[in-house]
Amino acid sequence: MARLPADQRRAALVQAALVVIARDGVHGATTRAIVAEAHMSLASFHYAYRSRDELIREVISFVVDQQEAVSRAALVASDDLWSTVRSALQAYFELLTEYPEREQAMFELMHYSMRSPELGTLPAVQHGSYLTAARALLEVGATAVGVAWTLPIDDLARILVALTDGLTYAWLADRDDGAAGRLMDHIADTVAGFAVTSTGTAADAAPRKEARR
Amino acid sequence: MARLPADQRRAALVQAALVVIARDGVHGATTRAIVAEAHMSLASFHYAYRSRDELIREVISFVVDQQEAVSRAALVASDDLWSTVRSALQAYFELLTEYPEREQAMFELMHYSMRSPELGTLPAVQHGSYLTAARALLEVGATAVGVAWTLPIDDLARILVALTDGLTYAWLADRDDGAAGRLMDHIADTVAGFAVTSTGTAADAAPRKEARR
DNA sequence: GTCTATAAAGTGATAGAC
DNA sequence: GTCTATCACTTTATAGAC
C-alpha cells in the first residue's frame, strides 16, 4: 500500500466505514471489514486510529456535519409554499428510495451513540442539526413566498422533523410508496396550514390544503 | 437449576433477552449475557433454542404481539376527541420517559430485523401492528364522541403513527419534555382537525384546535 | 509507514458426564 | 434435562521484521 499522510488515511477509513455500515449495519462494521473495503491491512487501521470506537466516533461526527451541508444545498424555493415543501420532501424521498441502506445507517449510528456513554451527546447534536435544517427550509420558503408562521418556527420545525422521521421509518418498514406520497402531501398541508400572508390574515398561500379528500 | 418444561424455559429466555437488550442493546445481547440474566447455564440455552437467531426471532414476535395488546388496553375515551387523543399520547409518553431503553430496544430490534434476510418480513408486520393500533384508537375515539373522518382512516392512522414515531425519536435524542408536550398538542390538533360531527359539517369536536398560538 | 504473525479475549455451538 | 468443559471461530489490538 502506498504511503499516505495520516489524515488522508483516516478520511479513507471513514468513507470505507460508511460503505460497510450501509451494507452490513453497524454491527457488521468490524475493523476487518472496513480495512478490506479500504484495501488496507489491519495494522494500518491501528496506525491511523487508536481503536474501532475512535473511528466510529469520527464517522458519526462526519455524517452530522455532512447532513447539515446537504440539506442546506437542497433548498430551492418554488412559486408557492406548498410546492416548495412538497418538492423538498420529494427530493428527500427519492434519495431515500435510492439508498435506503444509507438512511437506515443514520438511524443505526444514532442508536449506537445512545448506547455509548462516551458518544451519548451526539444524538442531541445530530437531531439538533435536523431541526436547524428544517428551520432553514421553513425560513427560505417563507421569505420566498412572503408568508409568516402562526406558531414559533422552532415548534414548526420540530413538527416537520417528526413527520419526516416518521415517513422514513414507515417506508423503511413497509416500502409503501403510495402511502408515503399521501403522507408527504399531508406534511405539505400541515406546513402550509401554519402560514399566513404577511399582509392579509388568511392562509391562502397553500393551493392544495386539505381539499380533494 | 430446576427442571423446566421446554416452553416455560423458552419464555424465561425471551424475558431475559428483553431485559438484556433494553440494558445493553441488541449488540450486547449475547447468549452468555442472556443466560446470565436468566440464571441458566449456556447449555440450557441451546437445549431450548437451536440458535441465537431463533431466540431473537421469537423476541421480536413477542414484542409485536405485546405491543398490540398493550395499545388495545390503553384506549379510554374521554368526553371529547381532542382529549381522547391527547391523553392517549400522554400515557404513551409517560411510558416512554419511564422506560426509554425499552422503546429504544424496539427500534433496534426493528433495524436488526431489516438486516436479517430471514427476519426481513417482520418490520412490515411490526409497523402494520402499529397502524392497526392507531386505527383502533381512532375508531374508538370517533364512535365515542360521534364524529367521522374526512380522509381514509388508514391514511390518518399512518399520519398518527408517523408523528408518534417522530415524537419518540426526537425525545430519545434530546430529552426535551416541553417540546414533546407541544408536539403532542399538535398531534391532537391534527387528528381533531380531520373530524366532522356526524350530523353537522364543521369540525367543532375539537375544543382546542390551533388556537392560542 | 507498512506489512505478517500472533496474542488475548469473546463469540455461538456442542460433547459427554451425570 | 442439566451441567462442565471445550471446540472452532471471530474479534480488537499489538509486536516486531522490513
Side-chain angles (χ1 to χ4, degrees):
Chain A
M1 204 61 194
R3 296 204 169 195
L4 286 178
D7 55 343
Q8 196 170 336
R9 166 143 282 159
R10 287 167 70 99
L13 283 168
V14 167
Q15 291 305 315
L18 278 172
V19 172
V20 175
I21 291 172
R23 189 183 60 219
D24 305 325
V26 176
H27 174 75
T30 65
T31 53
R32 282 177 157 82
I34 294 169
V35 297
E37 179 66 35
H39 303 289
M40 289 184 198
S41 76
L42 189 53
S44 294
F45 176 93
H46 286 287
Y47 183 80
Y49 285 99
R50 176 185 294 268
S51 71
R52 175 180 177 273
D53 249 43
E54 189 185 324
L55 168 67
I56 299 289
R57 180 192 203 108
E58 216 160 273
V59 168
I60 296 176
S61 299
F62 175 82
V63 300
V64 170
D65 289 353
Q66 183 196 240
Q67 149 70 27
E68 206 142 350
V70 163
S71 57
R72 208 181 301 275
L75 299 185
V76 278
S78 299
D79 20 292
D80 66 276
L81 181 59
W82 193 92
S83 305
T84 301
V85 175
R86 186 60 177 78
S87 63
L89 287 168
Q90 186 66 34
Y92 168 74
F93 182 68
E94 278 162 18
L95 203 86
L96 169 63
T97 55
E98 194 166 4
Y99 307 108
E101 327 81 22
R102 248 196 100 81
E103 280 314 304
Q104 195 184 335
M106 298 297 151
F107 280 111
E108 289 179 13
L109 282 170
M110 188 139 159
H111 288 297
Y112 182 86
S113 317
M114 290 188 202
R115 294 289 181 191
S116 160
E118 187 185 354
L119 303 175
T121 178
L122 278 172
V125 175
Q126 181 171 0
H127 192 255
S129 92
Y130 281 113
L131 288 176
T132 302
R135 196 165 45 223
L137 171 65
L138 292 170
E139 277 166 356
V140 167
T143 56
V145 194
V147 296
W149 304 113
T150 59
L151 83 174
I153 194 168
D154 282 343
D155 290 353
L156 184 52
R158 180 167 275 254
I159 291 170
L160 180 54
V161 169
L163 279 164
T164 308
D165 280 352
L167 167 76
T168 303
Y169 210 70
W171 186 84
L172 283 175
D174 67 9
R175 310 281 164 135
D176 188 331
D177 292 359
R182 292 192 293 280
L183 186 50
M184 285 189 281
D185 287 345
H186 164 74
I187 300 176
D189 290 342
T190 294
V191 172
F194 284 114
V196 286
T197 57
S198 307
T199 57
T201 48
D204 55 332
R208 187 177 172 281
K209 305 238 333 187
E210 300 288 353
R212 211 200 87 196
R213 308 237 185 187
Chain B
M1 203 62 192
R3 296 205 167 194
L4 285 179
D7 55 343
Q8 196 170 337
R9 166 142 282 161
R10 286 167 72 96
L13 282 168
V14 167
Q15 290 305 315
L18 278 171
V19 172
V20 174
I21 291 171
R23 189 184 58 216
D24 305 326
V26 177
H27 175 75
T30 65
T31 53
R32 283 176 161 81
I34 293 169
V35 298
E37 180 66 35
H39 303 289
M40 290 183 196
S41 76
L42 188 53
S44 295
F45 176 92
H46 285 287
Y47 183 80
Y49 285 100
R50 177 186 293 270
S51 70
R52 174 180 179 275
D53 250 41
E54 189 184 324
L55 168 68
I56 299 290
R57 180 190 204 109
E58 217 160 271
V59 167
I60 296 176
S61 300
F62 175 82
V63 299
V64 170
D65 291 352
Q66 184 197 238
Q67 149 71 29
E68 207 143 349
V70 163
S71 56
R72 208 183 301 275
L75 297 187
V76 277
S78 300
D79 20 293
D80 65 276
L81 180 60
W82 194 91
S83 304
T84 301
V85 176
R86 187 59 178 78
S87 64
L89 288 168
Q90 186 67 33
Y92 167 74
F93 181 68
E94 279 161 17
L95 203 86
L96 169 64
T97 54
E98 194 166 5
Y99 307 108
E101 327 81 23
R102 250 196 99 81
E103 278 316 303
Q104 194 184 335
M106 300 295 152
F107 280 111
E108 288 180 16
L109 282 170
M110 188 139 160
H111 287 298
Y112 182 86
S113 316
M114 289 188 202
R115 294 289 182 190
S116 161
E118 187 185 354
L119 304 175
T121 178
L122 279 172
V125 175
Q126 182 172 0
H127 193 255
S129 92
Y130 281 115
L131 289 175
T132 302
R135 197 166 43 225
L137 171 66
L138 292 170
E139 278 165 357
V140 168
T143 56
V145 194
V147 296
W149 303 113
T150 58
L151 83 175
I153 194 167
D154 282 343
D155 291 354
L156 184 53
R158 181 167 275 254
I159 292 170
L160 181 54
V161 169
L163 279 164
T164 308
D165 281 351
L167 168 75
T168 304
Y169 211 70
W171 187 85
L172 282 176
D174 68 8
R175 310 282 164 133
D176 188 330
D177 292 359
R182 291 192 294 279
L183 186 49
M184 285 189 279
D185 287 345
H186 165 74
I187 299 176
D189 290 344
T190 294
V191 173
F194 284 113
V196 285
T197 57
S198 308
T199 58
T201 49
D204 55 331
R208 188 178 172 281
K209 306 241 326 187
E210 300 288 352
R212 208 203 91 196
R213 307 240 186 187

